[in-house]
Amino acid sequence: MPLRGFELAGERPWEDPELIAIGRLPMRSPLWPALDVATARAGARDGSPWFRPLDGTWRFTLAESPSHVPEGFEQPAFDDSSWSRVAVPGCWTMQPPPVAGDDARSTDGGFDRPIYTNVQMPFRPRPPLVPDANPTGVYRTTFTVPRDWRGRRVVLHFGGAESVLFVWLNGRAVGMSKDSRLAAEFDVTDHVQFGRRNSLSAVVVRWSDASYVEDQDQWWHAGIHREVVVYSTAPTYLADVEVVGGLTSDLRTGTLDARVEVGWSPAVRPEAGWRVAVQVETLGGRRIARVARTDVPWMAVPYEFEGHVVRAHLEVPDVDRWTHETPSLYRVVVTLFDPSGAVCEVAACRVGFRRVEVVGSAFVLNGAPITFFGVNRHDFDPDTGRVVTEEQMRADLALLKQFGFNAVRTSHSPNDPRLLDLCDEIGLLVVDEANIESHALNFSLVHDPRYRSQWMARGTRMVERDKNHPCVVMWSLGNESGYGAVHDALAAWMRARDGSRPVHYEGAIMTDWRGGHAATDVLCPMYPEIWAIEMAAGGPPPDPSLAGVIAPSDRPVILCEYSHAMGNSNGCLGEYFDAFEQYAPLQGGFIWEFWDHGLRQRLPEAPGGASRRRAGMEQPWRFAYGGDFGEKRHDANFCCDGMVWPDRRPKPAMWEHRFLARPVAVAPVGAAARGRARITNRQWFRDLSWLRARVEVAVDGRVVRSAALGVPHLGPQESVTVDLPVDLGAVPPGECIVTVRWTTARTSAWSPAGHPVGHDQWIVPRAGSAPRAAAAARGRRRPRSGVSLDDVLASPPRLALWRAPIDNDGLKLALGPLSPFARWREWGLETAEPPGVVHRTRTVAGDDGSITFHEHVMIPDHIADLPRVGMRFDLVPGFEALEWYGRGPHECYPDRSRGAALGRYRSTVTDEYVPYVMPQEHGLHTDVRGLELRRESDGARVRVDAPAPFMFSALHHTPEQLTEALHDVELVTRAETTVHIDHAHRGLGTMSCGPDTLPKYKLGPGTYNWTWRITVD
C-alpha cells in the first residue's frame, strides 16, 4: 500500500533509484534570510523573526515496514499519546541508549539496532530491492508560525534523514527526499496555517535503493539526524548566493566573484526595479571595496535570458590571504532592494581569498606547493551516533590542529555544514566528499543506468551547498564506487560549475595510476606501499624487478587513505613523512581515520568484576563494535580504526603525528658539542612569531640546563643557524641530550598559550658519554636485608617470543590463515618452549645483589617472522611505582617512536594500560637504558639495566589475557605485574588495511644474543 499522498510515486518508491526526490527545492548555500544588515552579520538565525527551530522532543513509533505505519498518522487529529518520545535530531538506533544482548532492545520496548559493516551490505544485496522487513520511523510534532508570516513564503528544512524521508504538513503530503547526508527543503507556503498550531508528520524508511549508494565504512543508523527548522522569506527573495574569493596573479590582490540568484514565488510575477547590492567588509564591519549595485534581470527575453541572476566582480588590494595557517576571513553582505528602494532581505557569509591550482605535478595553494597532513573524518559520537553539536565539532578540529593536522577529508559524505564554517575559521583544508559509496557492488552499480541520477544529484548538490567555503580545496566524487562514465560526467560538471577547485576520485586510478584523468586531477591512491609512491614521484624502484612497474605521475600524489589506525597501529608513519619531504610530487595524504567508532553500550551487569564505570556512570558499559548488538551481518571491530578513542581521547599515535608534522625543525650543525643548530621553518605561509622555544640539556635523563631560545625571524621554508643559549662544555659527565621544545606563544582559536607543537632532540657525542641507567641514578646501596630476587618474583624470567596480537597481526574475529597471528600460533610461539627454538641462559651473580643474564636464542628457519625476542617475568603484588630512562612518556614501538622523546619518566603500572577497544599488545617503551619498579610499602626496588638499549613493558595484564579478551571491560586487573624485557620487537605496520611494517622492522630466524641485568634492593 503506498503512503498516503504519494500514490503517484508507486507502491514502493523506496525501491526506485530514478526517483530521487518529490517536491524538494534546489540545493543552495545554507544562508538564512535576515531583515537587516545587523541581523545578517550576527548570523541571521539569532533573534530573527523569520526563523523557527523545530528541534526537540517529537512523538515517535517504529513500524516494521512502510506498509505497517499507523493508518491516518499524518492527520492532525490522530491520537499519538501512546507513542514514545525521541530527540530530534537523533538516531532512533541510539534512542534509548543501546544495551547488550541478542536482540539489542532497551527495557522499555526500544527501537532498532545500529549495524556496522565495512564492505558488505547489512542484507543480501539485490539492487534496487531491499528487505520487506524494513524498519520505518514515524514522527509527529506541532509548531506555530506568526500571523505576520501570512503573505510570505514558508520553507521547511530537514538537515539530514537516513535513508528516505517523506513529509506531511497538516495532513497533506509535502515531499520526499533521498540522500541522507544533505538537507532537503520544501516550500510549504500553501500547507501552513498562520498563527495556529500546525501538525508536522514525517516517515523515515531505513532501507532503500539509496542504501546501495551509502554503503560506507561506518555504522548504519536511521532517523532524522540533523536539525529541522522552518523559516520565511518574502515572495521575492534571495534564492542563492555564491561568493568565490580568489587572487590575481600577483597573489596579493583579492578578487570576489559573486553570483546572486533572486527567486519569485509562483503567485508573484517578476517585475522591474529590484536591485541587489554586494558589499565586502572585514568581520568587524569595515568596508574594504566599493559596493556593487546591480539591477535584477526580470524579463524573459527569448534565447538571451540567463535567469534572475546578478553577477558582480570586485577587487580588493593587499588582501589578507586565507590559508590553513592564516585563516583570514572577510564578510560578504548581499542586500535585496524592492523597486521602492526598501530593504527586502539580507544575507551574509564569510569569504576567504585564496588561489588553488594544480600546476603540473604540484598542488599549489597561493603559489606554494603544500603538504596535506590530513585525516579522514565522519560525523560521529559514541552516544548519539551521527548527531554532533557545534561544540563537539570545534573540539574535534582544535584537537586535530593541536596534533599537527592541517586537512580533513569528509569521508565518505558531506559532513554537517557547520564543520566547514569551523574549518574556515580555525584553518583546515577540506576535501569535500560526495555521499556516494557502493562498496559491496563496487564494480557494477556504477554502470547501472537506473542510478545515474543519484550519482549526479549527490555530487552536484554537495557543490551547491558548500561552494562558498574557502577551506574546501578539492571536490571528491565519492569513495569506492568503481569507475564509469557517470564519474567523468560528474567531474566535468564540477569543473564547469566551479573552476576554482580541482577534482578528486580514487576509484578512477584504482587499477591504473596512469589513467582516470577525466575524473581526478590528483593521483590519490589508498594504502600504497612507500616504495610505490616514491616511484610515482620519480624515485628508483626498491628492487630491479620492479623497474617500470609504476611510471612517474604527471599529477600531484596525495594519498586519500593511508596508515590505517586500527588499534595499536600507525607503524612506519615516519617513513611516509620522509618520502613526503624527499619527493616534491608527494604532497601528503589522509590517515584513516580520526575516530574509533565504538558506540557506548550499556551492559546488563559487570563482566568479570571489571565494569569500568568510567566518566562517573553508574551503569556498566563498553564501547561496542560490529556484532555487539546481535546483528548477524557485520564486520566486527573494523570500525575501531581511529587516531582517537570514541570519547576523543588521543591515542599514542597522535604524538607521533605531532612530531612528524611539527611546524619547525632543529638539527645540530657541525660538531654537536659546539652548541650550534640549524632552525628550519617548515610552514608555507607564516613566520615563527606565534611560537616560543626552550632548550633543555639533560645528562642521563635529568635536566641540568634550561634556557629560552630566541625565536629567529624566519619566513616560510627558510633556515638559519644559531648558537644555543647553553654551554654544553660545562655539563656533568654522562649521556648528554639536547632537546628544543616549541610551544604556542598566545591563545588561538585552537589552543591555549603554551601548548606544545613539537620538539627536536639529539645526543651530544663526547668522551665518557655512555649512559648510566635509571636504576643506578640514585646510587648503589647494599642489598636490603631479607629482600632477594626470589622474594619479589611471582614467576622467574623465561623466554618470550609471543605478543598479544595487535589488529595488524590478524583480526581475532576474522582471523585469516595467512596472518602473522595465525602463523605464530601454528609455530607454537604462545608456548614456553616453541618447537625448534633453542634458548640458553648463563647467569652471573654480582656482589651488589644483581644477577646478570647472558641470553642466547636460536630461531629455526621455518619461523620466518616472529613478534618479539626477549624475556618475561612476573613480580609479586605491590610493585606499582615505575621509573625509566628511555623513550616516553607514551608507549612507542620500533616503527613508531620518533614522537617519543628520550628522557626520564615516572608512571605507575596501572597507568601503563592503554585501553584499546579490542585488547592487544601495548605499553612498550624503546631505547631504554634502565628501569625501576618500586614497592611503596617497604621501598623495595627491582631494577633492570643492560649494556645496550632495550625495550620493556610493565602491565597488570598478561599477554594471554590480552590475547583472549574481546573487549577491554573483560580484562581483570591482576595485582601482579608482568614485565617484558625485549631485545627485539616486531614493528606495528598497518596491515589490518594497508602495508605491513617495513622489512627492517621484522624479526626473522637466526641467532639472538644479548645481556641484561636485574637488581633487587
Side-chain angles (χ1 to χ4, degrees):
M1 180 180 67
L3 294 170
R4 189 171 181 272
F6 294 94
E7 289 84 358
L8 292 179
E11 289 286 335
R12 298 167 72 93
W14 50 89
E15 291 182 337
D16 183 355
E18 294 181 289
L19 179 63
I20 58 176
I22 299 173
R24 187 174 69 190
L25 295 173
M27 181 58 74
R28 62 178 181 88
S29 302
L31 303 176
W32 308 107
L35 70 168
D36 54 33
V37 172
T39 306
R41 285 172 174 162
R45 298 169 53 135
D46 299 332
S48 171
W50 299 341
F51 181 88
R52 291 287 185 274
L54 303 184
D55 296 347
T57 302
W58 292 30
R59 288 289 187 177
F60 177 81
T61 190
L62 186 66
E64 61 183 85
S65 73
S67 62
H68 288 81
V69 299
E71 182 71 24
F73 73 89
E74 76 282 359
Q75 297 302 319
F78 181 85
D79 182 7
D80 59 15
S81 59
S82 63
W83 288 14
S84 301
R85 295 179 183 273
V86 294
V88 173
C91 300
W92 79 59
T93 48
M94 299 299 294
Q95 298 185 71
V99 297
D102 288 341
D103 60 1
R105 297 297 194 264
S106 70
T107 55
D108 61 354
F111 309 123
D112 202 13
R113 73 191 75 194
I115 299 172
Y116 168 67
T117 65
N118 173 27
V119 176
Q120 64 179 324
M121 295 291 293
F123 48 81
R124 187 167 68 90
R126 293 184 299 154
L129 306 181
V130 295
D132 290 332
N134 190 355
T136 301
V138 187
Y139 295 81
R140 284 173 53 87
T141 192
T142 59
F143 66 93
T144 59
V145 297
R147 293 183 183 276
D148 59 12
W149 281 22
R150 190 185 304 275
R152 296 174 59 81
R153 174 174 168 266
V154 181
V155 178
L156 186 60
H157 170 103
F158 283 81
E162 185 177 356
S163 140
V164 179
L165 170 72
F166 296 85
V167 181
W168 292 259
L169 186 61
N170 296 323
R172 299 171 61 188
V174 169
M176 180 272 285
S177 177
K178 298 174 185 176
D179 187 357
S180 62
R181 308 293 191 271
L182 287 174
E185 292 192 331
F186 306 97
D187 187 332
V188 295
T189 308
D190 295 337
H191 304 272
V192 73
Q193 300 178 124
F194 300 96
R196 297 169 56 191
R197 178 174 296 180
N198 291 272
S199 173
L200 174 61
S201 303
V203 163
V204 178
V205 182
R206 182 166 195 183
W207 308 122
S208 73
D209 55 80
S211 301
Y212 291 98
V213 195
E214 298 178 355
D215 181 24
Q216 295 141 346
D217 179 13
Q218 55 181 307
W219 289 93
W220 296 88
H221 287 292
I224 302 170
H225 57 86
R226 289 184 185 159
E227 67 176 349
V228 183
V229 303
V230 61
Y231 66 92
S232 173
T233 74
T236 302
Y237 57 93
L238 295 172
D240 198 14
V241 174
E242 177 183 5
V243 291
V244 178
L247 297 169
T248 63
S249 56
D250 67 3
L251 300 179
R252 295 300 313 173
T253 302
T255 62
L256 180 78
D257 289 286
R259 180 185 182 276
V260 181
E261 182 178 350
V262 176
W264 270 276
S265 296
V268 178
R269 300 187 66 173
E271 60 178 331
W274 290 80
R275 303 195 80 197
V276 165
V278 178
Q279 175 176 316
V280 187
E281 59 186 32
T282 66
L283 297 184
R286 179 177 59 84
R287 193 177 355 176
I288 60 172
R290 66 178 178 85
V291 179
R293 292 183 172 86
T294 309
D295 291 334
V296 178
W298 68 278
M299 183 176 292
V301 178
Y303 187 71
E304 296 180 359
F305 182 65
E306 297 182 12
H308 308 295
V309 174
V310 170
R311 300 179 189 274
H313 176 82
L314 300 173
E315 292 195 357
V316 184
D318 297 320
V319 73
D320 290 334
R321 296 165 292 179
W322 188 96
T323 73
H324 54 286
E325 295 171 3
T326 57
S328 300
L329 292 171
Y330 295 84
R331 184 186 297 115
V332 176
V333 179
V334 177
T335 306
L336 176 64
F337 299 93
D338 68 15
S340 71
V343 173
C344 177
E345 185 177 309
V346 184
C349 67
R350 296 182 300 187
V351 65
F353 295 95
R354 52 78 170 140
R355 183 171 184 157
V356 177
E357 303 168 281
V358 171
V359 181
S361 60
F363 185 100
V364 178
L365 175 63
N366 297 351
I370 61 172
T371 302
F372 288 83
F373 302 144
V375 72
N376 288 275
R377 181 195 177 276
H378 297 280
D379 282 344
F380 171 79
D381 182 87
D383 297 303
T384 61
R386 220 178 295 291
V387 181
V388 291
T389 67
E390 183 173 339
E391 291 74 19
Q392 288 172 322
M393 289 184 284
R394 184 180 291 276
D396 291 351
L397 300 183
L399 185 66
L400 288 174
K401 291 282 283 191
Q402 289 170 7
F403 282 89
F405 290 93
N406 65 15
V408 168
R409 175 176 173 234
T410 66
S411 56
H412 294 294
S413 60
N415 288 185
D416 188 296
R418 295 170 296 176
L419 183 90
L420 300 183
D421 293 330
L422 295 171
C423 288
D424 289 341
E425 173 191 332
I426 292 175
L428 281 147
L429 307 168
V430 174
V431 175
D432 204 4
E433 191 148 276
N435 184 25
I436 301 170
E437 181 169 340
S438 56
H439 206 159
L441 301 161
N442 197 4
F443 299 106
S444 60
L445 200 67
V446 65
H447 304 297
D448 188 331
R450 298 171 296 178
Y451 276 87
R452 289 174 189 160
S453 58
Q454 294 216 21
W455 251 262
M456 293 300 296
R458 290 161 183 263
T460 58
R461 294 180 76 235
M462 173 188 69
V463 172
E464 295 295 357
R465 189 194 78 167
D466 298 338
K467 55 186 176 286
N468 291 341
H469 290 281
C471 65
V472 177
V473 295
M474 278 191 279
W475 301 118
S476 171
L477 307 186
N479 185 69
E480 291 176 318
S481 53
Y483 180 40
V486 70
H487 288 108
D488 292 347
L490 179 55
W493 182 92
M494 287 179 172
R495 293 189 183 106
R497 178 67 181 85
D498 172 35
S500 69
R501 299 173 176 94
V503 174
H504 165 292
Y505 182 55
E506 180 270 340
I509 55 93
M510 180 179 179
T511 59
D512 181 5
W513 285 12
R514 296 166 294 184
H517 284 76
T520 185
D521 297 316
V522 297
L523 183 65
C524 46
M526 283 185 177
Y527 307 108
E529 298 274 4
I530 295 172
W531 63 263
I533 59 173
E534 289 178 339
M535 286 185 66
D543 184 277
S545 65
L546 295 174
V549 171
I550 297 176
S553 175
D554 58 355
R555 292 168 284 187
V557 182
I558 301 170
L559 316 182
C560 72
E561 296 177 24
Y562 81 109
S563 194
H564 193 249
M566 188 169 180
N568 190 359
S569 187
N570 301 104
C572 301
L573 188 60
E575 280 77 9
Y576 278 103
F577 272 69
D578 292 342
F580 299 158
E581 192 152 334
Q582 182 176 357
Y583 296 97
L586 300 185
Q587 293 187 255
F590 296 82
I591 291 172
W592 188 268
E593 63 171 312
F594 181 47
W595 297 98
D596 266 2
H597 285 200
L599 297 177
R600 201 185 312 269
Q601 181 188 53
R602 293 185 292 121
L603 299 173
E605 60 184 21
S611 64
R612 296 244 192 276
R613 288 185 173 86
R614 294 159 289 197
M617 296 180 66
E618 290 300 320
Q619 178 74 30
W621 59 274
R622 68 183 178 188
F623 287 127
Y625 47 74
D628 283 340
F629 299 101
E631 63 270 37
K632 304 305 179 185
R633 298 172 69 100
H634 62 84
D635 286 310
N637 64 311
F638 206 69
C639 58
C640 296
D641 51 7
M643 295 289 283
V644 301
W645 278 288
D647 55 7
R648 289 178 172 82
R649 287 173 300 137
K651 290 184 182 178
M654 287 283 274
W655 277 269
E656 184 83 349
H657 186 274
R658 187 173 73 184
F659 170 80
L660 296 171
R662 63 200 185 283
V664 56
V666 186
V669 173
R674 295 180 181 175
R676 291 178 60 78
R678 188 166 184 80
I679 300 175
T680 300
N681 181 356
R682 303 177 74 216
Q683 303 170 106
W684 293 275
F685 303 106
R686 60 178 168 177
D687 60 25
L688 303 181
S689 60
W690 64 287
L691 296 173
R692 294 290 181 267
R694 193 160 194 87
V695 180
E696 295 176 354
V697 180
V699 175
D700 294 335
R702 297 190 182 280
V703 176
V704 296
R705 299 283 190 278
S706 179
L709 173 65
V711 177
H713 179 75
L714 273 181
Q717 302 292 303
E718 292 182 349
S719 299
V720 68
T721 298
V722 301
D723 292 317
L724 298 180
V726 290
D727 182 3
L728 298 181
V731 300
E735 184 176 51
C736 179
I737 300 175
V738 174
T739 306
V740 181
R741 303 185 187 276
W742 297 85
T743 58
T744 54
R746 61 190 69 90
T747 298
S748 71
W750 55 268
S751 77
H755 177 78
V757 297
H759 73 274
D760 277 288
Q761 186 178 70
W762 60 90
I763 298 173
V764 178
R766 56 183 183 157
S769 63
R772 292 182 293 178
R778 296 178 180 171
R780 299 289 185 195
R781 58 180 179 172
R782 299 171 68 94
R784 258 181 199 281
S785 174
V787 179
S788 67
L789 185 59
D790 290 339
D791 295 327
V792 300
L793 288 180
S795 66
R798 59 197 186 277
L799 180 66
L801 303 179
W802 177 263
R803 73 179 180 195
I806 61 172
D807 290 316
N808 294 332
D809 295 335
L811 304 182
K812 297 179 188 178
L813 298 177
L815 186 59
L818 301 180
S819 68
F821 181 19
R823 294 195 303 268
W824 297 341
R825 274 194 160 159
E826 179 185 348
W827 294 330
L829 299 188
E830 276 184 292
T831 63
E833 298 181 358
V837 173
V838 176
H839 174 221
R840 292 194 294 269
T841 299
R842 181 172 60 88
T843 61
V844 178
D847 57 9
D848 59 354
S850 67
I851 298 178
T852 300
F853 297 81
H854 299 276
E855 310 289 355
H856 172 83
V857 175
M858 293 180 60
I859 306 296
D861 290 344
H862 75 274
I863 301 180
D865 176 25
L866 64 162
R868 74 190 330 149
V869 178
M871 300 295 290
R872 163 187 173 181
F873 58 88
D874 293 279
L875 295 177
V876 298
F879 286 89
E880 179 68 12
L882 172 65
E883 181 179 345
W884 75 94
Y885 176 23
R887 293 196 179 274
H890 51 273
E891 70 172 16
C892 52
Y893 285 77
D895 62 349
R896 199 195 69 206
S897 62
R898 301 192 197 186
L902 278 170
R904 186 179 298 273
Y905 299 101
R906 290 183 177 179
S907 180
T908 65
V909 176
T910 297
D911 288 343
E912 287 296 285
Y913 173 67
V914 184
Y916 293 110
V917 174
M918 175 68 77
Q920 54 199 273
E921 156 69 32
H922 66 270
L924 194 72
H925 297 281
T926 64
D927 287 336
V928 176
R929 281 77 164 128
L931 69 96
E932 174 183 294
L933 287 147
R934 189 175 69 259
R935 186 164 57 193
E936 295 294 343
S937 61
D938 60 0
R941 301 186 302 173
V942 176
R943 296 179 282 119
V944 176
D945 57 15
F950 57 95
M951 293 165 270
F952 89 94
S953 65
L955 303 171
H956 285 309
H957 302 106
T958 67
E960 292 76 19
Q961 286 181 298
L962 297 172
T963 298
E964 295 305 317
L966 299 180
H967 294 85
D968 65 339
V969 296
E970 298 170 16
L971 291 171
V972 177
T973 301
R974 301 162 63 245
E976 296 82 5
T977 297
T978 296
V979 181
H980 278 92
I981 305 298
D982 285 349
H983 171 64
H985 198 105
R986 193 184 198 274
L988 302 171
T990 64
M991 199 167 55
S992 55
C993 186
D996 196 359
T997 190
L998 292 172
K1000 63 182 178 180
Y1001 298 119
K1002 292 182 179 179
L1003 309 183
T1007 301
Y1008 295 83
N1009 294 300
W1010 73 100
T1011 297
W1012 62 290
R1013 178 174 58 182
I1014 186 169
T1015 305
V1016 178
D1017 59 15

